[in-house]
Amino acid sequence: QVRLVESGGGFVQSGGSLRLSCEASGSIVSINSMGWYRQAPGKERDLVARITSGGSTDYADSVLGRFAISRDSAKNTMYLQMNSLKPEDAAVYYCNADGRYIYGGLRLPFTSWGQGTQVTVSS
């Protein structure tokens, strides 16, 4: 089993900053990519940012220039630096990762989700 645990959410004022962390654990062979998604009440879960093992990144237009995704491969940990936060950024932020892990002596693919961390931005 591959487990993802998010941390770093909280309450901030508009214009403030937060840094989210996601730590992956388990019998991981490799992680191909990790990403952040968010979901507000009544809305679908949408991509915020994603980073590959090679370091390439992808951002939603709404966060481009304000958020920065990074990854520490040695620690299997991903970060999301969020600056200039807006009320519309308020949501539960979820960590996602895909790669390969070992189960029963076999290398198998995985896709895993964290439990989410709440980000609240006051106007």
Side-chain angles (χ1 to χ4, degrees):
Q1 182 181 2
V2 176
R3 293 172 292 276
L4 304 177
V5 179
E6 303 99 332
S7 62
F11 297 86
V12 296
Q13 292 183 326
S14 181
S17 298
L18 285 173
R19 191 174 85 145
L20 306 183
S21 299
C22 173
E23 183 177 1
S25 62
S27 301
I28 298 170
V29 176
S30 62
I31 295 177
N32 294 325
S33 66
M34 301 183 75
W36 290 99
Y37 296 74
R38 66 187 182 189
Q39 186 170 24
K43 298 183 179 179
E44 72 273 12
R45 186 176 299 184
D46 293 324
L47 172 71
V48 178
R50 196 161 191 90
I51 186 167
T52 70
S53 60
S56 62
T57 58
D58 185 34
Y59 294 93
D61 288 342
S62 59
V63 307
L64 190 64
R66 299 188 297 118
F67 291 9
I69 190 170
S70 61
R71 177 181 175 183
D72 186 338
S73 297
K75 298 180 180 179
N76 287 329
T77 300
M78 175 184 62
Y79 308 94
L80 184 67
Q81 179 66 48
M82 304 186 294
N83 299 323
S84 302
L85 282 162
K86 304 175 180 179
E88 52 262 44
D89 295 319
V92 177
Y93 283 70
Y94 296 92
C95 176
N96 173 263
D98 67 272
R100 294 191 296 169
Y101 76 116
I102 295 178
Y103 180 75
L106 299 175
R107 293 184 176 188
L108 301 174
F110 76 88
T111 298
S112 186
W113 291 90
Q115 81 290 342
T117 185
Q118 179 72 54
V119 172
T120 302
V121 185
S122 62
S123 60

